[in-house]
Amino acid sequence: MRWVPKLFEQRAALCKPLANILIPKIAIPQDEFLYSDLLGRFLADQQITHLYTCASEKDWKYIYGPHLDFTKVVVRTVLTGYLDEATVSRVDSLKLKKNARSYDIGYRAWRAASWLGQHGQHKVQAGSVICEAAKKRGFRVDCSMLEKDVLLGDDWFEFLLNCRATVGAPGGASVLDRDGSVKASVEAYEPAHPGATFEDVRGACFPDRDGELDLACISPRHFEACLTETCQILVKGNYNGVLHPWKHYIPVQPDYSDVETALEVLADEETVNGIVKTAYEDVVASKRWTYESFVRETELDVFGTRCLWGTTWSSRFIDAFFLVKDWLHWRFVQFHAGVLRMKGRSQGIQFLYLWLKQITAR
C-alpha cells in the first residue's frame, strides 16, 4: 500500500486506536527503499516493539534512524521470503514427472526500474549478458525479459525443472527514496527521453546518490532454484549468508568480466551436480529456511519460548478458522485482480465486485 501514499495514509489512520495499546507489535516491512519516511512515521506512531527488516545492520539506522528509538525496538534482519513446506512437497511431486532437462539456461525477468539504482539493473543485465554469451557458446537457452513470457504458479516450477541452470542477482536497491521523489523524477524524465540510458537517467534524476543504500537480499526465486535442483549462475553477493559462491552457486563478478569462466563450469556436469546437491541439502532438506522456522524464531524473540499451537481442541478450532479465513481472503484478492484486468469491458462484473466489497466490509 505504501506505493500509493494516499491509500497507505487512509489505512494507517484506521490503526490509530491501536497506537497506545502496549503489547508486542511486530513490523515486517518490505521494499524499504521506497517511501521509507512514510513507513518510519507509521511504525513510530504505532510504538512497534519488534522490527523484522530486510536491510542489513549497517543500514538500519540510515533507513529508520530519523523515526525509531532503537533502545525501545528489537531489530532483526530477516529474509524477503521463506520455503513453504506444502510447496516443497508439491514440487517434489512435479520432479517425479520430469525426465531430461531441455535447456541449459532458463530465465525470466521484467525490466528493472531505473530509480532502484545500479543494483536493481543486475536483474536484467545478468539475464541479457549471461544468456547471450551462452547462446554464442552453443548452450540451449530460453531467456526472456518480456511481460508476455511471464510464468505464474506451477508453470514457473515446471520451467525451472526443464532447465539445468538459471541466472540471477540479489534483490533490492542501491538508492533510498525516502519520499518517492526519485521515483517521480525518473517516471517524468523517461517518457520525455525515450532513448536515455540508465546512466543518462541517473545523471539527470538522482546524481551522486546511487550506492547510498546497500539493500541486497536473497529472494524467493533463489530458494525456488534450490528447490527444483536447478543450478544458479549468480552475480556474486552475500545473499544473507544463505548462499555461498562455488558451494551453492556459480558466481560472476558484478562487471560480468568472468562470464566465460562461469559457462565453462556449467559445461562440467560433475561440478554442476555437486553444486546442485549441496544447495538442495543445505537450503531445502535442512528445513532451516522454512516459514515454520521463521515463526519459531519470532516466537522466541517475542515470548522467550516457542508457542505450542494446536495442542488443545480450542486452539485447533482457532487454527482451522484462520486457515479458512485466510483462504477466503486470497480468493477475494484473486477476484479483485481479475476484475481490475477486465475494467471497462464488463460493467456486470464490476457491479458484482462492488457489491461483494460492500458485503465484505460489513
Side-chain angles (χ1 to χ4, degrees):
M1 292 178 193
R2 204 168 67 254
W3 288 57
V4 185
K6 287 185 177 179
L7 175 62
F8 183 86
E9 289 172 350
Q10 290 171 1
R11 296 300 174 90
L14 298 176
C15 297
K16 283 186 177 179
L18 301 174
N20 296 315
I21 300 177
L22 301 180
I23 57 172
K25 294 176 185 173
I26 305 167
I28 314 178
Q30 301 253 331
D31 295 343
E32 295 158 280
F33 49 78
L34 184 64
Y35 293 116
S36 57
D37 281 348
L38 194 65
L39 172 63
R41 287 193 296 270
F42 171 71
L43 299 183
D45 290 343
Q46 282 296 316
Q47 301 186 61
I48 64 152
T49 58
H50 296 74
L51 171 62
Y52 292 163
T53 171
C54 297
S56 59
E57 186 173 357
K58 64 186 178 65
D59 281 329
W60 291 350
K61 289 190 176 179
Y62 182 55
I63 298 172
Y64 295 103
H67 307 286
L68 295 182
D69 181 350
F70 284 83
T71 65
K72 299 179 180 178
V73 180
V74 174
V75 188
R76 182 159 67 87
T77 297
V78 297
L79 308 184
T80 59
Y82 292 81
L83 286 165
D84 174 68
E85 294 203 24
T87 301
V88 173
S89 298
R90 194 170 73 255
V91 172
D92 283 343
S93 298
L94 293 174
K95 288 180 190 176
L96 299 176
K97 303 175 185 177
K98 280 290 180 183
N99 295 313
R101 305 201 180 206
S102 303
Y103 296 99
D104 294 302
I105 298 180
Y107 187 59
R108 292 291 187 273
W110 284 355
R111 174 183 174 273
S114 298
W115 44 266
L116 292 170
Q118 179 62 56
H119 178 78
Q121 308 314 302
H122 283 301
K123 181 173 69 173
V124 171
Q125 288 175 348
S128 59
V129 174
I130 298 172
C131 290
E132 283 303 313
K135 285 180 184 177
K136 291 178 181 178
R137 289 180 66 103
F139 284 100
R140 301 163 299 169
V141 176
D142 184 357
C143 298
S144 176
M145 269 65 80
L146 301 177
E147 187 174 351
K148 68 179 182 66
D149 293 327
V150 169
L151 298 167
L152 302 174
D154 282 358
D155 288 344
W156 170 242
F157 292 117
E158 294 273 11
F159 176 74
L160 287 177
L161 287 167
N162 203 31
C163 301
R164 290 180 59 239
T166 188
V167 303
S174 50
V175 177
L176 181 61
D177 193 355
R178 292 188 178 278
D179 58 3
S181 58
V182 174
K183 179 175 180 287
S185 176
V186 169
E187 291 177 345
Y189 180 87
E190 287 184 327
H193 303 82
T197 63
F198 166 72
E199 288 73 18
D200 293 333
V201 176
R202 177 170 58 185
C205 301
F206 53 100
D208 304 320
R209 292 192 56 184
D210 203 356
E212 62 188 6
L213 182 68
D214 185 24
L215 189 61
C217 315
I218 191 172
S219 73
R221 66 165 54 198
H222 298 125
F223 282 131
E224 290 157 1
C226 294
L227 173 56
T228 55
E229 298 181 72
T230 306
C231 186
Q232 298 182 80
I233 303 176
L234 303 178
V235 174
K236 193 173 182 180
N238 176 261
Y239 295 94
N240 292 92
V242 179
L243 301 179
H244 301 280
W246 298 118
K247 184 178 182 181
H248 303 121
Y249 69 92
I250 301 171
V252 295
Q253 295 299 323
D255 62 1
Y256 304 99
S257 58
D258 55 351
V259 167
E260 293 298 328
T261 301
L263 292 175
E264 287 177 12
V265 175
L266 182 63
D268 184 341
E269 196 73 33
E270 185 177 347
T271 300
V272 169
N273 288 341
I275 291 173
V276 165
K277 182 180 179 182
T278 302
Y280 185 85
E281 289 177 350
D282 290 354
V283 177
V284 183
S286 70
K287 298 187 178 181
R288 170 67 184 83
W289 307 106
T290 63
Y291 280 105
E292 182 178 351
S293 68
F294 170 62
V295 170
R296 186 161 57 246
E297 290 171 3
T298 302
E299 290 171 345
L300 288 172
D301 270 354
V302 178
F303 303 111
T305 185
R306 186 182 177 190
C307 301
L308 300 176
W309 302 105
T311 56
T312 65
W313 283 110
S314 60
S315 64
R316 289 172 188 168
F317 175 79
I318 293 170
D319 287 350
F321 171 79
F322 280 106
L323 282 172
V324 173
K325 183 175 182 291
D326 190 55
W327 185 88
L328 289 171
H329 170 77
W330 285 109
R331 299 296 80 74
F332 181 76
V333 170
Q334 289 176 325
F335 181 74
H336 184 186
V339 168
L340 291 179
R341 290 193 198 101
M342 299 178 67
K343 195 172 183 179
R345 301 181 190 177
S346 173
Q347 293 298 321
I349 291 182
Q350 185 71 8
F351 170 80
L352 179 60
Y353 161 67
L354 293 172
W355 178 74
L356 283 172
K357 189 174 182 180
Q358 289 178 338
I359 295 297
T360 304
R362 290 172 187 164

